[in-house]
Amino acid sequence: MGIDPHLTWNLAHDLSEVLEYHFMVNALVAGSVVAVMAGLLGWFMVLRRETFAGHTLSMMAFPGASGAALIGVPATWGYFVFCVAGGLAIGRFSGRRGRSWSEQSAMIGAVQALALGLGFLFVSLYGGVLGDLDNLLFGTFLGISDGQVLTLLVVAAASAAALAVVGRPLLFASVDADVASARGVPTRALGIVFLVGLGLAVAATSQITGVL
């Protein structure tokens, strides 16, 4: 007869008991990967004053998942397609030079409103009940699959590699876009690349943390 796991004063023993459960290993690995990736991309997101864009990209997971259910493909495809499309749209329409912050915020808000509208439209057309709706909205750390962990690792490695390549000009463009542009830095292209990378990271992370 087995003994139920319980907490003790022996931290090494408690940790070894926790790691005996595969779902806990996946949760710890996924949480660690998300923490590192969010730290890297989130720092640039705050520096570039694009937190509203990051919030909007997380909302893109809702129409992505509901649209995937509507056409009968895995929800992961919908996450990545819509989050990347959202990054491209925000970068294309709000990243033009000469736009004020209020105009850029309005553009991002329009993308968010369109995403939510499409999400509700897809749910209405689907007509059924979306499976694991609570997980879609609020996420879960206790049901992370090996495939999701692998996807997170790939996206995090790609994000870190991309930042290693474009980090310096991206930092220059983030601090002073006008001077960077005058020095020949492709500020708009860098902005779009960053938003697409942010969209990929959000798509991989939203499967665990949820849309909300």
Side-chain angles (χ1 to χ4, degrees), residues 3-210:
I3 300 176
D4 293 334
H6 59 279
L7 294 177
T8 68
W9 289 105
N10 189 336
L11 295 180
H13 174 267
D14 292 347
L15 181 60
S16 66
E17 285 198 338
V18 168
L19 296 180
E20 288 181 0
Y21 298 94
H22 188 66
F23 72 91
M24 285 300 301
V25 174
N26 281 352
L28 291 171
V29 172
S32 300
V33 172
V34 169
V36 173
M37 181 168 58
L40 292 173
L41 294 173
W43 186 82
F44 276 101
M45 183 179 68
V46 173
L47 181 65
R48 295 176 60 80
R49 291 191 285 180
E50 291 181 338
T51 52
F52 187 31
H55 173 70
T56 297
L57 289 177
S58 69
M59 292 297 179
M60 302 300 292
F62 175 48
S66 56
L70 178 63
I71 63 177
V73 300
T76 303
W77 295 10
Y79 278 104
F80 281 100
V81 168
F82 270 81
C83 287
V84 170
L88 289 172
I90 293 173
R92 175 68 176 81
F93 294 112
S94 69
R96 295 179 179 177
R97 295 185 63 187
R99 289 192 184 276
S100 64
W101 286 111
S102 60
E103 290 175 325
Q104 293 185 31
S105 297
M107 289 288 183
I108 297 172
V111 173
Q112 182 180 127
L114 176 62
L116 292 175
L118 287 175
F120 285 112
L121 174 63
F122 294 154
V123 170
S124 299
L125 293 176
Y126 181 66
V129 178
L130 287 176
D132 298 326
L133 182 59
D134 287 342
N135 291 345
L136 168 65
L137 296 177
F138 304 106
T140 175
F141 268 91
L142 300 180
I144 303 172
S145 66
D146 293 341
Q148 289 175 321
V149 173
L150 180 60
T151 301
L152 272 174
L153 286 170
V154 171
V155 173
S159 300
L163 286 179
V165 174
V166 304
R168 187 173 180 179
L170 180 62
L171 176 60
F172 191 9
S174 302
V175 173
D176 196 327
D178 292 332
V179 175
S181 180
R183 293 291 300 271
V185 177
T187 55
R188 189 177 180 189
L190 283 174
I192 293 175
V193 168
F194 174 74
L195 285 170
V196 169
L198 185 62
L200 290 171
V202 168
T205 305
S206 293
Q207 299 178 70
I208 297 171
T209 61

